[in-house]
């Protein structure tokens, strides 16, 4: 934001990450958007289901990361590191920085 350009990070799809991942984004983003294979595929997870994503996650022992509420758990985790007003869920369709330039 040093030159007045708002920066957003989109975490999509939510995949396993290390506990210190939020530190990577610290001081380089103005907003964080969280999206998943269920809420972000445009059909409430039907496309991801049709593509067999649940099976792929299970096959790779990652079923815990393919849950309908994973975006809420990731949001809660990121709120430990960032103010609530910086974190958005993609399904909320709120993009406050769209086209915004800071002075």
């Amino acid at each position: 934001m040093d030159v007045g350009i708002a920066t957003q990070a989109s975490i999509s799809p939510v995949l396993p990450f290390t506990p210190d991942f939020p530190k990577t984004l610290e001081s380089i983003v103005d907003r964080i958007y969280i999206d998943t294979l269920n809420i972000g595929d445009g059909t409430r997870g039907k496309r991801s289901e049709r593509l067999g994503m649940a099976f792929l996650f299970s096959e790779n022992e990652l079923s815990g990361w393919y849950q309908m509420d994973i975006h809420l758990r990731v949001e809660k985790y990121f709120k430990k590191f960032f103010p609530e007003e910086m974190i958005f869920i993609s399904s909320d369709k709120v993009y406050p920085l769209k086209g915004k330039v800071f002075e």
Side-chain angles (χ1 to χ4, degrees):
M1 193 165 83
D2 292 342
V3 296
I5 300 171
T7 306
Q8 302 174 156
S10 180
I11 302 170
S12 173
V14 171
L15 297 173
F17 56 82
T18 62
D20 61 343
F21 177 60
K23 292 177 187 173
T24 303
L25 301 175
E26 198 172 58
S27 76
I28 63 171
V29 300
D30 300 295
R31 297 288 188 270
I32 296 170
Y33 288 90
I34 300 169
D35 201 357
T36 69
L37 292 167
N38 292 313
I39 64 174
D41 81 355
T43 60
R44 297 184 182 190
K46 290 179 184 169
R47 180 183 317 133
S48 296
E49 184 180 321
R50 190 173 60 247
L51 292 172
M53 297 307 293
F55 173 75
L56 292 173
F57 274 70
S58 176
E59 185 178 57
N60 289 285
E61 299 178 7
L62 297 170
S63 293
W65 287 89
Y66 193 77
Q67 303 294 317
M68 291 301 286
D69 70 339
I70 190 70
H71 61 287
L72 299 175
R73 292 189 284 155
V74 171
E75 176 188 34
K76 183 178 178 180
Y77 184 73
F78 270 77
K79 284 181 179 178
K80 294 177 184 179
F81 302 90
F82 297 94
E84 185 172 339
E85 60 272 7
M86 284 183 67
I87 302 170
F88 297 87
I89 302 296
S90 69
S91 62
D92 294 341
K93 305 294 184 207
V94 177
Y95 301 101
L97 295 182
K98 186 176 182 181
K100 187 173 183 177
V101 176
F102 294 95
E103 294 185 26

